[in-house]
């Protein structure tokens, strides 16, 4: 459990990514357990649940974080949202998006809008989520950015995000000022759907088979994906793409990356002294 005791922008980027993955993970917990975990991390929380579309609004004296909850396999409304891939006009009026994801984000946005209007002018705003929650977070972030009366999010962090929109929408959000960090863990299957003509927003930060974040060419990444698939087969895990989608994997790998970066910075500082 990592406790946040200063503004997020003061932490190394890998640690911020880990913190966001932790938020996205704890959003799957029930209200009481989630609130307890968020409090241990240094944040007050408010749960939003509208027609089974769920999110948490977290805040401390520095930051306001909107965390969208991902798909719960036992919730039929979540499953319907994932499967309802009919293109529909986005809430920004700029291009077509996945109807199920739009409906889910529209459900929670009015409450978010009120809380941002109340607290967002004095705090830094971040938006994050995993799986369905990542898709919702993307739509919410752009809607905030396009609003004339809401402050812009500092950054959008997504983990295992499906594709959310078609060409015109993706062009519009790409041309906006939103800073997006999209993480993909090896063979995460959810990141490949829905199929064309849906597209991703922004390039991904790729986590390789060994759980490491390294710059890789297309062919190196392709080889690494086969390496992950073969490792799963040897261990009789034939659903490697689903295993890699687990938010626990993202949280674990990003924590290791953060520790690696913090150790490197500490060693550099020691040399200067």
């Amino acid at each position: 459990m990592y406790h946040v005791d200063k503004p997020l922008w003061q932490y190394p980027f890998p640690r911020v990514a880990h913190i966001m993955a932790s938020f996205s993970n704890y959003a799957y917990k029930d209200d009481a357990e989630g609130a307890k975990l968020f409090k241990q991390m240094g944040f007050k929380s408010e749960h939003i649940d509208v027609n089974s579309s769920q999110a948490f609004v977290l805040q401390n004296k520095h930051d306001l974080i909107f965390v969208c909850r991902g798909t719960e396999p036992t919730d039929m409304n979540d499953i319907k949202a994932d499967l309802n891939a009919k293109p529909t006009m986005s809430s920004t009026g700029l291009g077509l998006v996945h109807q199920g994801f739009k409906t889910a984000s529209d459900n929670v946005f009015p409450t978010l809008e009120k809380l941002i209007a109340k607290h967002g002018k004095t705090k830094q705003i971040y938006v994050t989520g995993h799986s369905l929650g990542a898709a919702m977070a993307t739509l919410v972030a752009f809607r905030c950015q396009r609003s004339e009366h809401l402050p812009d999010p500092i950054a959008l962090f997504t983990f295992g995000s499906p594709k959310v929109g078609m060409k015109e929408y993706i062009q519009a959000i790409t041309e906006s000022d939103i800073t997006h960090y999209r993480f993909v863990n090896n063979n995460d299957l959810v990141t490949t759907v829905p199929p064309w003509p849906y597209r991703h927003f922004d390039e991904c930060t790729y986590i390789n088979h060994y759980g490491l974040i390294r710059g890789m060419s297309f062919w190196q990444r392709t080889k690494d994906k086969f390496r992950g698939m073969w490792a799963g087969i040897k261990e009789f895990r034939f659903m490697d793409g689903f295993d890699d989608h687990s938010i626990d994997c993202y949280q674990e790998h990003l924590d290791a990356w953060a520790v690696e970066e913090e150790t490197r910075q500490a060693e550099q500082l020691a040399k200067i002294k």
Side-chain angles (χ1 to χ4, degrees):
M1 176 68 65
Y2 195 89
H3 183 78
V4 178
D5 56 6
K6 56 187 177 182
L8 287 171
W9 66 266
Q10 293 185 9
Y11 289 93
F13 173 73
R15 179 56 67 192
V16 178
H18 165 249
I19 290 168
M20 293 297 165
S22 299
F23 289 154
S24 297
N25 194 350
Y26 301 153
Y28 284 101
K29 309 299 182 182
D30 62 40
D31 295 2
E33 185 177 3
K36 180 180 178 180
L37 291 169
F38 293 135
K39 185 177 181 180
Q40 290 174 1
M41 291 189 70
F43 288 81
K44 295 187 295 183
S45 64
E46 181 172 339
H47 183 225
I48 302 173
D49 186 348
V50 181
N51 297 327
S52 292
S53 300
Q54 300 182 60
F56 283 90
V57 177
L58 314 179
Q59 59 179 307
N60 59 15
K61 62 182 180 180
H62 306 292
D63 301 302
L64 182 72
I65 298 94
F66 188 59
V67 189
C68 299
R69 177 182 285 179
T71 302
E72 295 183 283
T74 58
D75 191 320
M76 284 305 300
N77 285 324
D78 282 359
I79 295 171
K80 289 178 182 177
D82 290 338
L83 295 177
N84 186 8
K86 179 181 178 182
T88 190
M89 181 56 64
S90 70
S91 298
T92 62
L94 298 172
L96 301 176
V97 296
H98 184 289
Q99 183 168 332
F101 302 157
K102 177 183 181 297
T103 299
S105 64
D106 285 350
N107 285 339
V108 299
F109 189 79
T111 303
L112 166 66
E113 188 174 26
K114 293 177 183 177
L115 290 170
I116 289 181
K118 183 178 180 181
H119 303 289
K121 293 181 179 180
T122 58
K123 299 179 180 183
Q124 306 271 40
I125 299 172
Y126 298 81
V127 189
T128 189
H130 167 258
S131 194
L132 166 63
M136 292 170 61
T138 301
L139 297 175
V140 163
F142 192 34
R143 194 167 173 184
C144 288
Q145 197 269 346
R146 292 289 299 175
S147 172
E148 295 181 355
H149 64 279
L150 295 178
D152 293 347
I154 296 298
L156 164 67
F157 286 79
T158 61
F159 310 95
S161 178
K163 303 169 189 176
V164 298
M166 295 192 176
K167 182 178 180 179
E168 184 181 356
Y169 181 82
I170 298 303
Q171 285 182 336
I173 193 171
T174 300
E175 292 170 359
S176 73
D177 295 327
I178 295 176
T179 301
H180 181 201
Y181 303 105
R182 181 171 70 87
F183 290 87
V184 174
N185 182 38
N186 196 227
N187 287 313
D188 187 337
L189 186 62
V190 172
T191 64
T192 67
V193 296
W196 185 89
Y198 283 99
R199 303 182 180 198
H200 274 300
F201 164 39
D202 223 334
E203 293 299 317
C204 74
T205 299
Y206 178 74
I207 304 172
N208 69 18
H209 164 62
Y210 301 107
L212 304 175
I213 296 176
R214 300 287 186 268
M216 303 178 77
S217 68
F218 171 80
W219 292 112
Q220 287 174 322
R221 189 180 300 180
T222 300
K223 181 180 178 180
D224 184 68
K225 287 179 176 291
F226 278 109
R227 184 183 294 118
M229 291 174 60
W230 179 240
I233 291 171
K234 289 193 295 184
E235 297 174 4
F236 299 99
R237 292 185 296 105
F238 302 105
M239 303 296 286
D240 182 58
F242 290 104
D243 293 341
D244 286 346
H245 184 60
S246 169
I247 184 59
D248 291 330
C249 291
Y250 283 93
Q251 185 180 15
E252 178 183 348
H253 296 328
L254 291 172
D255 186 31
W257 185 38
V259 170
E260 178 186 7
E261 176 61 21
E262 288 163 351
T263 301
R264 185 189 66 81
Q265 290 187 9
E267 290 174 348
Q268 288 184 337
L269 185 60
K271 290 179 180 179
I272 295 174
K273 291 181 178 180

